[in-house]
Structure formats: structure tokens, C-alpha cells
């Protein structure tokens, strides 16, 4: 499964670190679930449990719903939201954090951070395995990319400033966006997480992302609105990471 770059021109979304990214939407819910909120980076979901996984790991199983699927708070419970088949103009891939017969518990891209929900195993979803893992250490201001247990690289990066910290916990690579008019980065990699201190930024929902930065002096500093700014070499390697891959942010 390749993390292909998505280039669309339907609407714009601003991340928690600023800048507009081209995006789109898709995956219409069925009539039975049309009134339920969609689990996207723009929504806040209620009544769902938060992920409490052990930092540093990730099973690597990721799932893509071919059509919009209902999300329940418990296996077999009533639907409380809908997971669309597309996110930010590209295919929805989310990591599986728990399984039970006929059900998968997945990380969701909505607020609050680390929200999870149960989706049915219906045979209409595509399952894959990502051998990658991305680790971000806030205090060390360092990003490490791992594949199949082997470190591909470690880089000094810029993380959120004291008043706008990069949120900690397990999240995932939500999308891969190439802005039609690149300003500070040729590629934006939104995560399934949001700023804990900014409700919005630049008109968007405060989505946190990994992206490049033209001024290399910022690396090694806590200077962003919550995003992680990475060197060009890191961005090049991250561009090949499949969507849905686990990202761990720790102190």
C-alpha cells in the first residue's frame, strides 16, 4: 500500500501550524446514518472512549472502508457516528487498536484527541499492514522513522511552543497533501490529532501536521502552533509512509 500524494481543489483546511491545504470530501453515509456526525478532522465526537495504548508501539494493522461505515461506542452498540471512505480528498486509512469477533476498534481523526470507535467487519473494508512507525519526542525535539523495527532516520525537528504544544499520545498519518501553491512546504502530512490549546487556526480546525520548513534554524526548537516541522530529507522519507501509520508523540 503506497502513501500516494493527494492533489485536489475542492476546499481548503488550515492546520494548527498555519497554511492552507487543498482537500476534498467523500464517502456519503447511508440513509440510516445520514443524521449522524462524520468522523473527520472537522468534527467533535461524543460518547466514545479514548485510546490508552502503551507509548511506542503499534500493531501496524490499518483499515480502509470502501463505503461509509457506522461507528459504535461498543461492539454491537448503536451507531453514534459515521466513518467516511474519504478524508481530506483521499482514502480513509485508520489504525486498528483492538479487535473482537466481527468488530474492529480504530483510532479516529476527530476531536477529542485519541478518540476511538468500533466499526463492523463486513467484508467491504480493505485491510493492510504498515511496517512503519513514526516517533516524535517533544523534549528532545526529535523525530524517528522506523520500518520493521529498523531505524531509517532520526532528525532534529521543531515542535509546538510552550503555549501551543504538540499534543501527546497515539495518533496516525491521516492524509498526504501537495498544495497547488506551495509556500512553506511542498508536502503536508496531516495527523489524526488537533491542537489542545487552539480551537481553530487560520479558519481551519487546528489539525496538527508534519511538514517541511524553509528556515532550517527552527529545527531543535519549540516554536510552532502544534505542528512538527521537519528537514527536507525527513519529509522525503515520510512521503513514502502509508496512510494510517501510527504516530507516537511523547514528552
Amino acid at each position: 500500500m503506497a502513501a500516494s500524494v493527494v492533489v485536489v481543489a475542492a476546499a481548503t483546511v488550515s492546520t494548527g501550524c498555519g497554511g492552507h491545504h487543498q482537500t476534498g470530501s467523500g464517502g456519503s453515509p447511508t440513509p440510516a446514518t445520514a443524521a449522524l456526525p462524520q468522523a473527520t478532522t472537522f468534527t467533535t465526537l461524543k460518547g466514545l472512549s479514548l485510546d490508552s495504548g502503551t507509548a511506542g508501539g503499534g500493531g501496524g494493522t490499518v483499515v480502509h472502508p470502501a463505503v461509509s461505515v457506522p461507528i459504535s461506542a461498543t461492539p454491537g452498540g448503536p451507531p453514534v457516528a459515521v466513518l467516511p471512505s474519504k478524508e481530506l480528498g483521499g482514502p480513509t486509512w485508520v489504525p486498528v487498536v483492538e479487535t473482537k469477533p466481527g468488530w474492529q476498534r480504530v483510532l479516529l481523526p476527530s476531536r477529542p484527541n485519541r478518540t476511538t470507535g468500533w466499526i463492523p467487519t463486513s467484508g467491504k473494508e480493505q485491510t493492510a499492514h504498515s511496517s512503519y512507525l513514526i516517533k516524535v519526542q517533544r523534549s528532545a525535539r526529535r523525530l524517528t522513522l522506523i520500518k520493521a523495527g529498523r531505524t531509517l532516520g532520526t532528525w532534529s525537528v521543531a515542535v509546538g511552543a510552550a503555549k501551543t504544544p504538540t499534543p501527546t499520545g497515539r495518533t496516525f498519518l491521516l492524509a498526504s497533501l501537495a498544495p497547488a501553491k506551495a509556500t512553506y512546504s511542498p508536502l503536508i502530512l496531516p495527523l489524526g490529532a488537533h491542537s489542545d490549546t487552539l480551537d481553530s487556526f487560520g479558519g481551519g480546525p487546528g489539525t496538527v501536521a508534519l511538514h517541511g520548513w524553509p528556515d532550517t534554524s527552527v529545527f531543535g526548537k519549540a516554536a510552532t502552533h502544534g505542528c512538527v516541522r521537519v528537514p527536507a530529507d525527513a519529509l522525503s522519507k515520510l512521503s513514502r509512509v502509508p496512510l494510517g501509520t501510527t504516530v507516537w508523540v511523547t514528552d
Side-chain angles (χ1 to χ4, degrees), residues 159-214:
V159 298
K163 292 184 178 180
T164 53
T166 303
T168 58
R170 176 161 53 177
T171 183
F172 61 99
L173 190 62
L174 175 63
S176 180
L177 308 175
K181 184 178 180 180
T183 53
Y184 56 87
S185 181
L187 186 66
I188 313 293
L189 302 173
L191 305 181
H194 300 78
S195 168
D196 288 324
T197 56
L198 298 173
D199 292 331
S200 64
F201 189 88
T207 309
V208 170
L210 310 176
H211 61 73
W213 199 252

Side-chain angles (χ1 to χ4, degrees), residues 96-121:
V96 176
V97 297
E98 186 179 357
T99 60
K100 290 190 176 181
W103 293 85
Q104 298 179 102
R105 184 178 172 218
V106 298
L107 271 175
L108 299 171
S110 306
R111 290 181 186 267
N113 290 334
R114 299 180 291 108
T115 293
T116 66
W118 291 90
I119 61 173
T121 304

Side-chain angles (χ1 to χ4, degrees), residues 7-108:
V7 186
V8 290
T12 58
V13 57
S14 300
T15 67
C17 50
H20 298 283
H21 316 318
Q22 299 299 320
T23 180
S25 60
S28 300
T30 64
T33 58
L36 297 176
Q38 291 204 16
T40 72
T41 191
F42 299 95
T43 56
T44 297
L45 302 179
K46 298 180 180 179
L48 295 168
S49 60
L50 302 183
D51 176 54
S52 58
T54 303
T61 300
V62 294
V63 62
H64 163 59
V67 297
S68 296
V69 296
I71 301 168
S72 301
T74 58
V80 297
V82 174
L83 182 64
S85 63
K86 291 185 178 181
E87 300 272 357
L88 298 179
T92 298
W93 283 96
V94 290
V96 176
V97 297
E98 186 179 357
T99 60
K100 290 190 176 181
W103 293 85
Q104 298 179 102
R105 184 178 172 218
V106 298
L107 271 175
L108 299 171

